[in-house]
Structure formats: C-alpha cells, structure tokens
Amino acid sequence: MQIIDGKRTAALIKEEIAAEVDRIVAAGGKRPHLSAILVGHDGGSETYVHNKVLVCEACGFKSTLYRFEETVSEEELLAQVERLNQDEDVDGFIVQLPLPQHISEQKVIEAIDFRKDVDGFHPVNVGRMAIGLPCYISATPKGILELLQRYHVGTSGKKCVILGRSNIVGKPMAQLMMQKQYGDATVTVCHSHSRDLKKECREADIIIAAIGRPEFVTADMVKEGATVIDVGTTRVPDATKKNGFRLSGDVKFDEVAPKCAFITPVPGGVGPMTICMLMKNTLSAGKKEFYE
Ligand code: GUN
C-alpha cells in the first residue's frame, strides 16, 4: 500500500510554477495576476481565500482580494465581476462560493468572462472540458488527475466508481475519467439514490469518494488492490483541537488503507492539490494558454 502524499506533491508543483514565473518575468513577460472576491465572513471561505493569497505569493503571482459584506447586493457583486472582466492586468479571478442566499451563484458564475474563469465553473469551460477541448478544468478533479499521473496509477480500461455528482467534483471527475486523453476508464457515478452502491464499489479498481459523509467508505466496500481517492473534508467537532474541529474524509482510512494499492489521506491528500491547481490555471491564464 502506498499513501499518495498530496502535500508533498503540491509543494513540488508550487516550486515548478514559481520557477516558471521567474523565467517568464526574467524574459520580460508579465507576472500572472489572480483576483479573488470574498463575500461575508464564513470561517471556511475566509481560510480558503487567505490560503489562496498566500500560495499566490509563494508562486510569485500578483494577487488582489476584494471583500464584500454579507449584505452586498447581487447588482454590486455583478458590477465587481464586470470590473475584473475588463481589468487588463487581471489574468484570472474567482468568486469564492458559497454566496449568500439572496445572490444567484449561477448568475455570478455566468457573468465571469470564461477566458478569466480559472475556477473552470463557467458553462463554456465545463462544456469544452466535456468534449475534450483546451479549457480551465476545476481544481479538485484536475488535482486528482495530477496525483494519479504522478503516482503512475494506471487508469486506462480500469473500472472507476465516483461517489457523488456535484458540479464541482463528481460530474467533472466522471467526464475526465472517461475521456481517452485523461482517464480512459470505464466510469460509474453513484449517488444517494443508487441502488447497489456497495456492490459497484466492490467491483471498482479506482474509487473516488466525494459525497461529504465522514467515513462512508468502509473496508467491505473496497476490492483488494484498489486505489481510493478521498475528496471528503467535513469539519467534525473535536475538543482536542485548537480550533475545535478536525477534517474527516469520506473514507474510513484505518480499515480501508491496508486493502489498497494507493490511497489518499485526509488531511494531506486531495486538499492541498486544489489550491495548487488553481495556481496552475492562473499560470495558464497569464500565458494565454487556452484563450487569447
Ligand atoms: N468553494 C469551495 N471550493 C471552491 C472553489 O474551488 N472555488 C470557489 N470559487 N469557491 C469554492
């Protein structure tokens, strides 16, 4: 059994990005610039955005953060999106989700110029990804592909079961895993209404768990020699921790790990890769790799 070390891999990739930024800037090119919009004071979102800004610095990017109170109107937010669309210095930007109830997330996502949509959430990027065209791919599925590649986990022709059908993880992951140029696997997507989810899992060579239910995947659901990727990051109360919680994955790691060829831990698996993939997308944006 080999543990897939997302933290170490992410650190390596950050160094690769920083080295490339140095080369670009030394050759007289423009330093990539990522902007982020953060609405309200949700603890999780604050932490994510703070980390994104820190990682931008580590990669040698310019970053700018636009903060709005919870009470901001949809109109004001859309106006900020439009300013960033027009700002020629900004290569890419994100609007941290979730947004307050009174704002339509879909409307905001669709207002973002798809050429700057480094989250890969805009329907143009989602559609281009689905048909295998160059585009921004959302960070979590992109990070998982990167881990599978770097650890030489064979996926071609393998049976891959994805647990969860969210727009951010399950659906794009299924698209990518089925495509010849990425996973080239046989893909099954299971969700809360799947009839025999356990049986599907037991037949899988690769399980990607993204349902947000702590320790849902147990040893009896995993085939000997399978690869298990755990996307879960549910905060569960833990009085022994300074901040009062710990992160729990979707996989019962201790009993599942001994059966696996490869497995990602939580924390330190998929999580650290996501911000890193946002940085890769920002570098692509700076280089105008996908769009003029
Ligand atoms: N909220 C949780 N994950 C993400 C993400 O990848 N991007 C944005 N914009 N918001 C998120």
Side-chain angles (χ1 to χ4, degrees), residues 48 52 94-98 119 121 139 168:
Y48 281 133
K52 285 170 188 177
I94 62 154
V95 181
Q96 186 67 26
L97 304 178
D119 259 333
F121 293 167
I168 293 184

Side-chain angles (χ1 to χ4, degrees), residues 177-217:
M177 286 305 283
M178 82 162 80
Q179 282 183 42
K180 195 176 180 73
Q181 72 193 93
Y182 298 109
D184 199 26
T186 304
V187 178
T188 304
V189 180
C190 292
H191 49 77
S192 50
H193 289 87
S194 293
R195 200 179 314 143
D196 204 347
L197 184 147
K198 284 200 178 208
K199 176 173 166 287
E200 297 289 351
C201 287
R202 274 195 297 270
E203 291 169 359
D205 302 301
I206 300 161
I207 297 175
I208 301 175
I211 42 175
R213 288 174 62 178
E215 305 192 329
F216 179 85
V217 178

Side-chain angles (χ1 to χ4, degrees), residues 2-189:
Q2 195 178 353
I3 291 181
I4 294 180
D5 188 341
K7 200 170 164 187
R8 190 176 140 267
T9 308
L12 254 169
I13 294 172
K14 274 177 240 166
E15 282 174 21
E16 292 166 12
I17 295 172
E20 188 164 351
V21 171
D22 282 347
R23 282 195 296 274
I24 290 169
V25 173
K30 179 183 171 300
R31 192 175 288 285
H33 180 182
L34 174 70
S35 289
I37 299 177
L38 173 60
V39 179
H41 298 275
D42 171 75
S45 293
E46 294 241 11
T47 306
Y48 281 133
V49 171
H50 176 69
N51 286 337
K52 285 170 188 177
V53 169
L54 287 181
V55 178
C56 272
E57 281 168 25
C59 291
F61 295 166
K62 180 175 174 186
S63 71
T64 43
L65 172 60
Y66 297 88
R67 298 200 64 147
F68 292 89
E69 287 304 323
E70 193 86 22
T71 49
V72 67
S73 70
E74 188 177 271
E75 197 184 355
E76 277 176 88
L77 196 60
L78 290 171
Q80 180 60 43
V81 166
E82 191 48 32
R83 279 194 288 279
L84 294 177
N85 284 341
Q86 300 297 335
D87 187 335
E88 286 188 4
D89 194 61
V90 173
D91 297 296
F93 67 97
I94 62 154
V95 181
Q96 186 67 26
L97 304 178
L99 292 172
Q101 285 285 332
H102 65 277
I103 298 174
S104 161
E105 285 188 355
Q106 198 54 34
K107 201 164 170 183
V108 170
I109 288 169
E110 290 187 39
I112 297 171
D113 183 335
F114 66 88
R115 288 163 293 215
K116 294 189 177 187
D117 167 41
V118 284
D119 259 333
F121 293 167
H122 190 284
V124 168
N125 283 309
V126 176
R128 289 176 65 94
M129 184 269 296
I131 56 174
L133 295 176
C135 64
Y136 299 112
I137 294 172
S138 60
T140 304
K142 190 178 168 93
I144 292 169
L145 285 181
E146 188 87 29
L147 285 176
L148 292 171
Q149 269 165 19
R150 290 192 183 228
Y151 277 81
H152 308 291
V153 177
T155 57
S156 178
K158 298 287 172 64
K159 181 170 167 62
C160 175
V161 167
I162 294 163
L163 302 179
R165 54 179 162 185
S166 70
N167 288 343
I168 293 184
V169 186
K171 278 182 210 160
M173 198 71 241
Q175 290 285 356
L176 294 164
M177 286 305 283
M178 82 162 80
Q179 282 183 42
K180 195 176 180 73
Q181 72 193 93
Y182 298 109
D184 199 26
T186 304
V187 178
T188 304
V189 180

